[in-house]
Amino acid sequence: MSLVLPLGRPRHWSPVLPVLAVLVLLALPLSSSEGGGAGPADAASALVVGACAVRLLRERARPLTARSALVLGLPVAGAALAAMGAASPGAGVAGLGRYLQVFVLVPAAVLLLIRDRRDFRLLAWALVGLALWQGGVGVKQYATGTGASYQGRMIRAVGTFGPYDVMGMATVVAFGLLCAVGLALGRGPVRGRAVAAGCALALLVPLALSFSRGAWIATGVTLTAQLLLAGVRRALKVGAAVVAAGVVLVGGLGVGTSMLQERIDSITKVADAPDQSVTDRYTMWAAATGMWREHPLTGVGLKGFPEYRDSHASLALSSGSDTEGAGVGFRRQPLLSPHNMYLLVLAEQGLIGLLCLAGGWLALLVLGLRGGLRTARRTGRGLDCALIGCGLLLWQLVDFAYADIGGPSTVLTAVCLGLVAWWALVGAATDGRAR
């Protein structure tokens, strides 16, 4: 008896196929030269935007409502203003292009290519599949000692992203885990919910072996919110199952027990006895704050943080972080961002840029929670989509306190923001048929 995903028989080719191509390319290994920047999936994201434009021209339809255009277009104002204040025209254009890709163009294209909840669920299952693949590669890296370097041992699970993007696999696995939990908590067929629940439990292992404290915190907060939004009684049942699975995996099977415990303990010691990575992060946060105080409204300009870093950072900042393993030799990676999206935007785009960018995210969260989730819980239709849409955005908002954009996995953030935007602006209104 074959196991098939509960998607039903397709009526015709879905317009979200170009988005699936982006996810497929994210599953491929990256060369060492691609490890620190954009990859093939970024090029495919341009095809997603192009496919969306062609579809709109063929249908001759109004692409977005005024509200959708306002919410999705808010980041343009702050980024464009900061681009004019960049140190060089090239830096301004490159920075503006990246912000438009991640926060405007690709999310808008994904929103417009999704027709209904069926397409939404297709992309959600694709994210689960990508997470299982990357997580499987990561678990193998830990088991065979072929991962990225962690405390002198090649055991850190990084998937196909390599040591230059150590957050890549953790991000993919976290997104897949949240999608699986949302699908499991929905009101679809029992078989599909059971498969989703099994996938969610399986993804806990690679997430733990990523040794990413920021991803752990963001996932813990978001999973708690998803469970509570689905219902208190269901939250208690699922929470008990997750705790039991954690005891078996960590306590019974010994999955990285000592190192995981040490890593977890370090979360509570960031103020008392911080390690060098935490010290570097605090130092860069202070540097970003200093830049903002000197340029409070418009910041120092796009891609300006590396240029102004040394003049604002204390001597506690190290020269870089050591990266090694996963098929790549030793390399000293320079610290070119504060590893906090809010402070990065505040430093480079000022208060105007932060209000524009974060304002759009908060608007999506309010729209998704206020109208969509409440309606889904009352009618029973689209509850899985509501939990996924709100969960993905909440995870990103929490994780941005510990990370920022950069690396090949960043394009996945753009895709997920498109899913979030569809639910908040389309799926939550008139049964998902109006934009």
Side-chain angles (χ1 to χ4, degrees):
M1 182 177 179
S2 60
L3 178 65
V4 295
L5 296 180
L7 296 173
R9 183 173 298 173
R11 292 161 293 182
H12 46 75
W13 292 111
S14 171
V16 300
L17 289 179
V19 186
L20 294 179
V22 174
L23 302 183
V24 170
L25 290 174
L26 281 172
L28 301 179
L30 295 172
S31 67
S32 58
S33 61
E34 294 168 343
D42 290 278
S45 71
L47 296 179
V48 172
V49 177
C52 177
V54 170
R55 183 166 182 255
L56 292 176
L57 290 174
R58 289 179 58 186
E59 295 182 354
R60 299 180 180 180
R62 181 182 179 183
L64 296 170
T65 64
R67 181 177 68 175
S68 299
L70 175 62
V71 173
L72 290 174
L74 271 177
V76 177
L81 189 61
M84 293 188 290
S88 66
V93 171
L96 180 61
R98 187 61 159 167
Y99 274 91
L100 292 182
Q101 175 207 11
V102 176
F103 299 118
V104 181
L105 296 178
V106 174
V110 173
L111 179 153
L112 292 167
L113 290 175
I114 295 176
R115 297 168 302 183
D116 48 32
R117 289 195 293 266
R118 178 188 176 84
D119 286 342
F120 186 99
R121 294 186 181 108
L122 176 62
L123 291 179
W125 277 110
L127 284 171
V128 174
L130 176 62
L132 289 172
W133 165 253
Q134 289 288 355
V137 174
V139 171
K140 181 182 178 181
Q141 290 171 335
Y142 174 84
T144 59
T146 56
S149 177
Y150 178 75
Q151 295 185 355
R153 298 173 60 185
M154 307 301 177
I155 60 170
R156 187 168 191 175
V158 293
T160 64
F161 294 100
Y164 301 149
D165 190 8
V166 293
M167 280 290 295
M169 190 212 73
T171 300
V172 171
V173 169
F175 284 153
L177 175 59
L178 297 178
C179 288
V181 170
L183 292 165
L185 294 175
R187 298 177 182 176
V190 175
R191 182 186 63 179
R193 291 164 54 192
V195 172
C199 293
L201 290 175
L203 290 172
L204 291 175
V205 178
L207 181 64
L209 298 180
S210 69
F211 295 101
S212 173
R213 292 171 292 198
W216 291 349
I217 294 171
T219 304
V221 171
T222 307
L223 285 178
T224 302
Q226 280 184 315
L227 293 173
L228 292 175
L229 291 173
V232 177
R233 269 196 279 183
R234 300 181 74 186
L236 293 175
K237 293 179 182 179
V238 177
V242 171
V243 171
V247 170
V248 172
L249 291 173
V250 178
L253 302 180
V255 181
T257 306
S258 59
M259 286 192 171
L260 282 175
Q261 186 61 50
E262 182 181 344
R263 191 68 165 172
I264 293 171
D265 291 342
S266 68
I267 296 176
T268 62
K269 298 177 181 178
V270 293
D272 298 333
D275 55 32
Q276 185 58 49
S277 64
V278 175
T279 300
D280 287 340
R281 185 162 301 190
Y282 284 165
T283 304
M284 291 188 292
W285 288 1
T289 304
M291 297 176 200
W292 168 66
R293 287 173 179 168
E294 292 184 1
H295 306 271
L297 291 180
T298 59
V300 298
L302 293 183
K303 291 188 173 292
F305 182 86
E307 182 178 349
Y308 288 84
R309 183 199 63 183
D310 292 340
S311 62
H312 291 81
S314 69
L315 296 177
L317 182 66
S318 63
S319 59
S321 59
D322 297 337
T323 58
E324 187 179 9
V328 179
F330 176 83
R331 179 179 174 182
R332 190 74 171 168
Q333 193 78 355
L335 303 174
L336 302 178
S337 71
H339 296 293
N340 181 306
M341 190 64 197
Y342 305 108
L343 291 179
L344 176 64
V345 174
L346 198 62
E348 294 187 346
Q349 302 183 37
L351 191 59
I352 294 176
L354 182 61
L355 290 176
C356 290
L357 193 61
W361 298 338
L362 292 177
L364 291 175
L365 185 61
V366 170
L367 290 170
L369 287 172
R370 188 188 64 183
L373 183 62
R374 184 170 53 191
T375 301
R377 291 185 63 178
R378 185 179 68 251
T379 63
R381 294 181 299 178
L383 179 61
D384 52 349
C385 299
L387 294 174
I388 292 171
C390 297
L392 290 175
L393 181 55
L394 181 59
W395 188 93
Q396 197 65 78
L397 293 177
V398 176
D399 184 70
F400 271 159
Y402 306 94
D404 48 46
I405 59 174
S409 61
T410 297
V411 70
L412 187 62
T413 298
V415 172
C416 289
L417 287 176
L419 287 169
V420 170
W422 182 86
W423 172 252
L425 299 170
V426 181
T430 61
D431 200 23
R433 289 191 294 269
R435 292 191 178 92

